């Protein structure tokens, strides 16, 4: 899963007319056969995440607001000090993440949706997830971005393994 797939292959934030025909696009055409380019970037990566990449993916001339969520590894969880963690993803996770992004795009009046989640070992302070939604107005962007991250956490099969300073560990989000 180290290689990004989806819209990122075509250059994030580029208009559809400038994207290559060979990009790894999902079948996201609407009922009229027109392609819906609202979901711009969906990836699960072992490499470092980029806030700038996700921001650029949803930017555009019609955008009046971008809601951006950056999830980082914190140094504590409940009553434990965290030394680090790792994320593991089911092979279907990226496809399920794309479905979540598409559902958000369909539910809200938004112009762009982008989300990238890390897998592998992360240290305190590292970026774990970056999500962005753009819209003509800020309220729609905020609402859609919050639902995007909440649905990701609730439904996409990505599991967190936390390591604590006392030598114990904990799996979070496992079935």
């Amino acid at each position: 899963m180290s290689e990004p797939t989806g819209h990122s292959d075509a250059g994030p934030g580029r208009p559809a007319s400038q994207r290559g025909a060979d990009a790894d696009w999902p079948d996201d055409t609407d009922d009229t056969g027109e392609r819906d380019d609202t979901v711009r970037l969906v990836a699960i990566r072992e490499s470092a995440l980029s806030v700038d990449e996700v921001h650029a993916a949803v930017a555009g001339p019609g955008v009046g607001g971008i809601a951006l969520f950056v999830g980082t590894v914190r140094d504590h969880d409940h009553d434990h000090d965290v030394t680090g963690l790792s994320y593991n993803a089911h092979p279907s996770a990226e496809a399920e993440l794309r479905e979540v992004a598409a559902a958000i795009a369909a539910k809200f009046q938004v112009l762009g949706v982008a989300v990238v989640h890390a897998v592998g070992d992360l240290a305190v302070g590292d970026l774990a997830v970056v999500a962005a939604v753009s819209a003509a107005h800020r309220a729609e962007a905020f609402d859609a971005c919050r639902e995007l991250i909440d649905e990701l956490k609730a439904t996409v099969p990505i599991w967190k393994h936390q390591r604590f300073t006392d030598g114990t560990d904990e799996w979070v989000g496992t079935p």
Side-chain angles (χ1 to χ4, degrees), residues 23-63:
D24 181 21
W25 294 93
D27 184 15
D28 55 1
T29 55
D30 65 17
D31 293 337
T32 66
E34 294 295 315
R35 182 170 300 284
D36 179 2
D37 287 334
T38 305
V39 177
R40 309 269 178 83
L41 170 64
V42 172
I44 295 177
R45 297 186 179 152
E46 290 185 42
S47 57
L49 305 186
S50 167
V51 173
D52 290 339
E53 176 192 23
V54 174
H55 178 271
V58 299
V63 171

Side-chain angles (χ1 to χ4, degrees), residues 145-164:
C145 192
R146 180 181 189 98
E147 189 161 324
L148 173 62
I149 198 69
D150 287 347
E151 284 299 308
L152 180 164
K153 289 182 65 81
T155 65
V156 178
I158 298 173
W159 308 289
K160 177 169 58 173
H161 183 209
Q162 300 185 109
R163 296 177 301 278
F164 303 116

